[in-house]
Amino acid sequence: MPAKFQITSLAERFLPAKRAEQLRPFLQRVDGLFSGEDEQAQAKRSSLIAFAIRIAGAALALLSQVVLARLMGSFEFGIYVLVWTVTLILGDLACFGFHTTIIRYVPQYLQKNQTDDARGILRTGPVFALISASIITLIAIVLLNSLSAQFAPYYWPAFLIGILCIPAIALGNIYDGTARSQGWILAALSPGYILRPLMMLLIFILLLLTGWQPQATTALIAAFSGTALTVISQQLFLRKRIATVLPKGAGTYHLREWIRVSLPIFLIEGFFFLLINIDVLMVGRMMEPDSVALYFAVTKVLALAHFVYFAVKSSVAQRYSQLLHGGDRQAFNDFARNSARWTFWPSLLLGILLLAAGWPLLALFGHEFTKGYPLLFILIFGVIARASVGPCESLLSMSGNQNICALLYALALIVNIALNITLIPLLGLSGAAIATVCAMATEAATLSFVVYKRLGITMFVFAPSARRAGD
């Protein structure tokens, strides 16, 4: 077999002996990260891949939003932001948690050599998502038509186009879950965070070059086209990749069991998606599109700090399932606690950097967007609170505690809505930011408490030790 590439050897060969000796401890840790085969090393590699994709994705998303805001103006951009946010929420919810159920069950089935069961759930996922998403789309169209008098007329055509994206978004989430169930983080995250926004931006620019107006409806047509093309590419890629680890054969179907597990996960993810987007929705309901655009620009800048949390969450869910069903309880506990550390410190560093760079980043959207800079100093506390406990909800979902997790998210959502209704009329956009921080702090505290009570794991970055299982 060929020798593995080692940074330590490379440094000894090309650097002065004294400098190479000084760097040896650090470089050996790096070599251990990329050559180790234990769960910690694999998870760290997955986290780094996810982190790199989220960095590239966040930069691409920021660039695309800046281009849209510059070309469309704050009013049309605000319409697009609100409609696309609602569309993404409905598309994510349309899976009813089945994409996460795939992540939970496929590693378990393959570990126990239950290949028929694995084939069954992987075949069921796309069909289930397509049917449920199509039903939701039809219901949304009926509701949109019946409630059209309840909102401004410029929203109606934009919402109609956005709603048509729901099935493609749902299918994309199923394929994301399929890739994550195998630990294929690059294949899981690249379509949604790289390919889709890139396709949307290129198609939007192409439409403008062919004479279309820079309006919200044009941007949403580009979003529809980009999403559809992305899903087609995902399906073609995963069909070939899955065949290499799971040969063709009969499938066994446990639809009732899978749905029973999926529904609490659906509530968790539904409440979570609403929780992270409710402030934008409430601003859209209570303020003009220009204010929606301003607030959304701030949240997009802050997303550069949030993606650490999502990168770790994307890479550890499958490891949680494997370790839990592998029987090594102490390894499971240690891994869970370490995931909180991997989340917090990079999030804190990026948060500080964003506070320093926030004003020029907002200025990229347009000079009027710099009025949102003070909001960053409020919202950053929510990012730190969530990062301090790591991906607690993934830990609860993978360990069968999804019901209580859903209740905790419902509590945080209620807190968020109540505070938004109270504070937005009093403080405007600052009120929405304060409501969001309070809800995120509630979420983090309650999730960490329940993980400790149910699993005996102290999911808090500054906790000195964790209670061992059975103590």
Side-chain angles (χ1 to χ4, degrees), residues 136-211:
I136 289 176
T137 300
L138 292 174
I139 294 173
I141 291 173
V142 172
L143 289 176
L144 178 66
N145 186 62
S146 61
L147 299 176
S148 59
Q150 302 299 317
F151 48 84
Y154 44 75
Y155 278 120
W156 195 92
F159 268 115
L160 183 60
I161 299 170
I163 286 170
L164 297 177
C165 297
I166 293 174
I169 294 172
L171 279 174
N173 287 336
I174 290 292
Y175 295 138
D176 174 282
T178 299
R180 286 173 59 188
S181 72
Q182 297 299 306
W184 301 334
I185 299 301
L186 188 63
L189 299 183
S190 295
Y193 293 105
I194 304 295
L195 184 57
R196 184 172 71 187
L198 182 60
M199 293 293 293
M200 290 167 57
L201 180 59
L202 292 177
I203 292 172
F204 178 74
I205 294 174
L206 179 62
L207 290 175
L208 295 188
L209 293 175
T210 55

Side-chain angles (χ1 to χ4, degrees), residues 53 59 75 82 104 136 202 238 271 287 320-321 442 458 461 464:
I53 294 173
F75 189 85
L82 183 60
R104 174 177 172 179
I136 289 176
L202 292 177
L238 285 175
F271 289 136
M287 304 181 76
Y320 285 158
S321 180
T442 301
T458 308
V461 65

